[in-house]
Amino acid sequence: MPNQFGRFATCLDNSKEYLTICFSPSASARQQRWRNYGLSADFLGDYFATFFPGNPQKNGAADDVMQRDTVKSAISYIANELLENAIKYHTDRSPEPISISLFLYEDYIVFQSLNLVELQAAEQFQAFVQDILTTTDLDTLFAQQLEKAATGHGESHMGFLTMMCDYGVEFGWGFGHSPQLPEFLQVDVQAYLSLKTAF
């Protein structure tokens, strides 16, 4: 049974609109294709922005373009952050692909990234997850992590905090042993972007 934290769903496949992209686990391929990951995040932003035509009660085309651009920017940023983290920490010893999926629901979009990590990396990440879940002041945690990044003491995970502070993203995290590769942990990160409050 995996350890689950935050807003975590065991099943996300009841969305009628979703898209999944998988990436080669090879370390050499990841280095050669690093630019492609940003392009993939932009593609997800472009693709899902088409589902947001704007508000016909307002000023027409200008508002439509503004809303689509806002949606596209938010989706591209969140997808890129999740993808970069998944790629960065994915173990080179795994033949399993890295994946990112987006699920569109009526009131929110769910991003899901899946990758396999070494046990030590998973333990360090779980400790950071606990910091997020137990903090009473997200701004203070943000400042602490920013200082950690500036001084080079450990991983900052600033992307997660930025997504929470700037976009109101809610997170769920799942950690479980892969049935095929029990020596690694599969990290399942779910990011919930509200369509009512974010735009």
Side-chain angles (χ1 to χ4, degrees):
M1 183 72 179
N3 291 318
Q4 299 166 356
F5 306 94
R7 184 177 176 179
F8 186 85
T10 55
C11 181
L12 290 169
D13 59 2
N14 59 346
S15 166
K16 293 181 180 178
E17 295 288 348
Y18 65 92
L19 187 64
T20 298
I21 304 176
C22 296
F23 300 90
S24 166
S26 146
S28 60
R30 292 205 304 270
Q31 292 301 320
Q32 292 169 6
R33 300 173 190 161
W34 192 260
R35 181 173 174 271
N36 291 355
Y37 303 130
L39 293 174
S40 298
D42 288 342
F43 167 73
L44 290 169
D46 280 328
Y47 181 81
F48 279 90
T50 62
F51 292 96
F52 299 89
N55 188 342
Q57 303 302 319
K58 291 188 178 179
N59 298 325
D63 283 328
D64 293 354
V65 171
M66 184 176 294
Q67 186 186 34
R68 279 195 299 272
D69 286 348
T70 302
V71 171
K72 175 186 172 182
S73 176
I75 292 174
S76 296
Y77 178 80
I78 295 167
N80 190 62
E81 287 294 323
L82 294 175
L83 192 51
E84 283 190 357
N85 273 289
I87 292 160
K88 180 178 179 181
Y89 294 104
H90 190 77
T91 177
D92 293 338
R93 299 190 292 139
S94 167
E96 295 295 312
I98 300 157
S99 71
I100 185 165
S101 303
L102 266 70
F103 300 84
L104 179 63
Y105 297 91
E106 184 176 349
D107 296 329
Y108 55 91
I109 295 173
V110 183
F111 302 71
Q112 181 184 42
S113 66
L114 295 170
N115 65 314
L116 289 178
V117 302
E118 304 283 349
L119 297 182
Q120 183 178 358
E123 290 171 1
Q124 292 171 348
F125 187 43
Q126 284 188 53
F128 172 70
V129 168
Q130 290 298 332
D131 287 343
I132 288 179
L133 295 174
T134 57
T135 187
T136 56
D137 187 344
L138 201 58
D139 290 334
T140 298
L141 180 60
F142 188 95
Q144 291 170 348
Q145 293 300 116
L146 192 61
E147 183 178 349
K148 183 183 288 188
T151 58
H153 292 93
E155 298 292 341
S156 70
H157 299 295
M158 291 301 298
F160 285 99
L161 296 173
T162 301
M163 286 184 273
M164 295 174 76
C165 292
D166 291 357
Y167 296 98
V169 171
E170 291 184 71
F171 280 100
W173 297 273
F175 300 85
H177 286 280
S178 166
Q180 293 80 20
L181 300 162
E183 68 271 30
F184 306 122
L185 280 181
Q186 182 181 63
V187 179
D188 181 342
V189 179
Q190 299 174 10
Y192 292 75
L193 177 68
S194 169
L195 298 177
K196 289 187 173 180
T197 59
F199 309 115

